[in-house]
Amino acid sequence: MIFSKKRAKKDNLPRRADEPDEVNVSDDELEEAAVVINPYYAKVASVYSAVRYLLLVFLILLIFFTAMRNSESITYDNLMFLVKDLGSVAEATNGNFETISYNPDTTLSLSGFRKNLAVAASSGLKIYASDGKTTFEGEDKFSTPLIETSDRYLLVYDFGSTSFSLYNSFARIYTEKLGYDITGADISNSGMFAIVTKTKEYNSSVLLYTKNCKLKNRYLSEDRVIDVAINDSGSRVCILSFNVENASFITKIMVSKPGESKALVTLELEDVFPLSCEYTSDGNLTVFCDSALYFYDADGRFLGSFDLMGEPEAVKLSKVGTVLSLPKNAVSAGSYVTVLGSKGNIIYSGEVPGKTTAVDFYDGYLFTLTGNILTRTNVKTGETVETEVSGNGKNMIVYSKDDVMICSNSVAEYYDLAK
């Protein structure tokens, strides 16, 4: 097949730009010519533009008047508190552990706070990051400091004296000096906290504060308050107290709803002495007495009890359960360790050699410190992991199933149980 190409006629060829009848039009002119102005949309656009500027002016005025009205609350500490809490989730899940050294002090009080270590002493409060760096150093001085912590806040009070302070991991948020000595305290994950003190007319006074550090309730009692506990949501508060009738101790358990003056329920236990109380993460209440443990729901309904059958070597009331260690007998070395659920049910029971100095329960694992041996036990399988610890540390802080700190009067040593 023969292909032929038809020659284009001269008239069909494109014109050159310099031919006399060619019109040159720029791109901008073409775009302007293509724009057709719609009066309706032009009006809507002008309205939106005006509203935008009015809202911007309103926002500036609102910020100005709010700042003027609350100028006393705009402090460096509060601004740093806001910035720090924006990263609280990341802080709680990240970090490499190292051994932490601090100045020895006979008044030392230690506590795990997020993945940090809080150390309160007569010289002040220090918060150490997991790598040993000091992240906060407080100026408050406490003669006998004690620490209470929640997921977000740290409360330090001077036992037997009159002052307390509330911190996050970066700043002091609030401080107050009372008229009478402080004998106890607690703080909830909700931010609500309570201080146990007394008044001129009453043997005990419990001051309940909101998360904004405003006094919400003042509970007055002729009985001696031993401990106070607030549940995670801040919807229940338990006040544990006692009095003496006919030469016998009467323990009183008062459960209240914050904001209400009348108690939901007041329970009495005869011939037992109260020691402490704690709410578990599911809202149930554990009461520890000298001869037994008692378990109640959020409204004070009885769930169960556990007889101690002796004086415990170590007890830990935690958010997930209670751990206690009892000596086998006076002549045999070894201890019985029991883990109880929030209703008093036995989760685990077993023997450990030697005297137990510290116990804890975390995420299905039992932790025991016996002499210089740290042991982790899976309560479901019974599998154990042991490691030898150095020094004379007796305080154990469990951060996770693998991360444990053993603290003495001058150093906190880290142990990785995953290795």
Side-chain angles (χ1 to χ4, degrees), residues 302-320:
F302 180 74
L303 298 175
S305 63
F306 182 85
D307 292 332
L308 297 182
M309 303 299 291
E311 184 179 353
E313 296 172 336
V315 178
K316 174 74 176 197
L317 274 63
S318 72
K319 294 294 184 181
V320 292

Side-chain angles (χ1 to χ4, degrees), residues 85-100:
D85 265 18
L86 292 175
S88 62
V89 175
E91 179 188 354
T93 56
N94 296 323
N96 297 317
F97 285 94
E98 300 288 345
T99 296
I100 301 173

